[in-house]
Amino acid sequence: MEPSVYIPAYLEREYLRSHEGLTCAARELLHEEVLQDPARYATTDHARALISYGRARERLLRELDRMEDLPDDEFDRKREQLFAAARQELHRIHRADPLCTDAELVDIMLADVPVDACLGDLMKLEERVRGRLGFLPGFDEDAPHFWADGGPQDDAERTRAEPELVAWLHTLEAISQLCLASARYRAAADYARRVMRAQGYPNLSAGTVLLALARLEDEDGFFACAREGAACGAGEDSPWFLLGRTILLYKLGRRKNARRALRDFAARCDGGAFYLLNPTYLTPYLPVRPPVREACELAHQAVWEADGIIVDTPDFTAWAASVDGVEDASEDFARRYGY
């Protein structure tokens, strides 16, 4: 979830708690003003830390976008400098306010350490944050949507306005992604399933589960997850399902069905064939999947996340390139987007 969503929701809730009795019109005006200028309503140290984090993350992503067209050597050098500067700022924010968990989370993810070391730090962070959430009124880790009372709409509103809970969900997503990348497929699915339970927290964690189950050749679990994922955008029309189904059928040795699934993926996911045959750099998730501007970005994310599985599946890419229509779809996309 973007800071531009959950930080204003938190600030609005805190303002309403200290200003009871506002009319509906006043509430609507407050909502618009907080969205336009959240810093104006940041009146506590915690609120100001959240604002600082949002600005630091926005600068980081903006500078990464500006570096896209640099030569490789210059890109690597400037990215290292950018990450070092961002880590200093994030560390300062977290030191000033230890409850600004997202600052610590992104700081950990920017560290130049092996995957296992990063994963270990994230798991320690998750344990600490979960412990603090236990003191949050109404929070229940075992409840369907993490709140002990209230309906789905109420649960969604409470989640959006609770930065510590949002940061915990971010941490779970980050762990599930690293587990997938490091071939810990069952753990990846377990962490991602916890994220799927949240209401009011947009995510595509079902996609992580689908890829993990495809790699584990769990056909029944895969299609059951696709039915669950339909509610959050990672169902049978998503690139994660369409690519995961192809991988699953290929690994099960059902090549005729796998070819059909691959052609379906190439036809229905703009850019899917191109990114599958031409691995392309993707800006790191900081801390989780960013919102997409074009549909082809979803296909890019799905293929990027499946990279370790694809590399670990002998001859998959060469086989994919040999399937009728796949190279044509890749070349057509490349022409349209100037690759």
Side-chain angles (χ1 to χ4, degrees):
M1 182 183 288
E2 293 294 289
S4 59
V5 175
Y6 71 85
I7 294 176
Y10 166 76
L11 296 173
E12 184 176 345
R13 183 194 67 182
E14 294 303 293
Y15 186 92
L16 289 172
R17 281 179 173 175
S18 59
H19 295 77
E20 297 180 0
L22 291 183
T23 65
C24 290
R27 284 172 173 263
E28 289 179 8
L29 179 61
L30 170 68
H31 179 73
E32 293 173 4
E33 289 184 346
V34 173
L35 286 176
Q36 290 174 4
D37 187 10
R40 176 183 170 190
Y41 291 86
T43 58
T44 66
D45 288 343
H46 182 53
R48 285 187 284 269
L50 291 172
I51 294 291
S52 295
Y53 162 72
R55 289 171 174 169
R57 179 178 174 274
E58 184 179 357
R59 283 195 300 272
L60 172 62
L61 295 177
R62 186 171 61 245
E63 291 304 314
L64 274 174
D65 280 344
R66 288 176 177 172
M67 291 163 46
E68 273 190 357
D69 296 327
L70 293 176
D72 288 349
D73 289 346
E74 187 177 358
F75 175 84
D76 291 341
R77 179 176 57 81
K78 290 202 170 183
R79 188 175 73 159
E80 183 179 347
Q81 293 172 349
L82 175 63
F83 283 7
R87 290 195 69 199
Q88 287 184 347
E89 176 64 8
L90 293 166
H91 184 68
R92 183 194 66 76
I93 294 168
H94 179 253
R95 188 173 62 244
D97 178 17
L99 294 181
C100 191
T101 301
D102 266 340
E104 183 177 7
L105 171 58
V106 177
D107 182 12
I108 290 171
M109 296 180 74
L110 290 176
D112 185 17
V113 298
V115 169
D116 286 358
C118 183
L119 190 54
D121 289 340
L122 290 178
M123 293 179 76
K124 291 174 186 175
L125 174 63
E126 187 276 327
E127 185 176 8
R128 291 199 306 273
V129 178
R130 181 160 35 91
R132 292 199 296 264
L133 288 173
F135 297 97
L136 193 66
F139 175 79
D140 182 354
E141 187 182 352
D142 298 322
H145 307 305
F146 302 118
W147 296 104
D149 52 4
Q153 183 174 354
D154 186 47
D155 291 346
E157 291 175 358
R158 293 166 79 177
T159 296
R160 276 194 298 270
E162 194 56 64
E164 190 81 346
L165 178 54
V166 170
W168 178 61
L169 294 168
H170 284 166
T171 306
L172 292 175
E173 274 202 81
I175 291 173
S176 72
Q177 291 286 340
L178 278 187
C179 284
L180 188 69
S182 58
R184 296 172 170 92
Y185 301 115
R186 295 192 189 281
D190 288 345
Y191 279 103
R193 283 189 184 280
R194 293 165 74 185
V195 179
M196 288 173 64
R197 290 164 49 197
Q199 291 285 322
Y201 175 82
N203 69 90
L204 292 167
S205 287
T208 302
V209 181
L210 287 169
L211 292 178
L213 294 176
R215 174 61 181 82
L216 293 168
E217 301 177 30
D218 182 351
E219 186 172 6
D220 291 341
F222 179 87
F223 287 101
C225 177
R227 291 190 290 272
E228 288 181 63
C232 58
E236 296 185 4
D237 290 326
S238 77
W240 285 270
F241 171 81
L242 296 167
L243 176 59
R245 180 179 60 174
T246 302
I247 294 170
L248 172 67
L249 294 170
Y250 180 88
K251 291 188 69 64
L252 291 173
R254 287 148 57 180
R255 298 301 169 84
K256 184 176 180 179
N257 289 337
R259 285 194 296 272
R260 289 174 177 167
L262 177 60
R263 285 195 290 266
D264 196 23
F265 169 69
R268 294 170 62 186
C269 299
D270 194 32
F274 174 82
Y275 293 119
L276 183 60
L277 302 185
N278 304 275
T280 307
Y281 175 79
L282 186 65
T283 300
Y285 296 165
L286 297 170
V288 295
R289 292 183 186 97
V292 299
R293 294 158 292 189
E294 298 183 67
C296 65
E297 294 177 25
L298 286 175
H300 194 181
Q301 289 180 359
V303 174
W304 179 265
E305 292 164 22
D307 182 67
I309 298 171
I310 293 169
V311 169
D312 193 40
T313 304
D315 302 324
F316 180 81
T317 303
W319 166 81
S322 73
V323 173
D324 288 345
V326 173
E327 281 199 350
D328 290 342
S330 173
E331 291 173 3
D332 175 66
F333 178 83
R335 280 194 300 270
R336 284 188 286 115
Y337 283 82
Y339 283 107

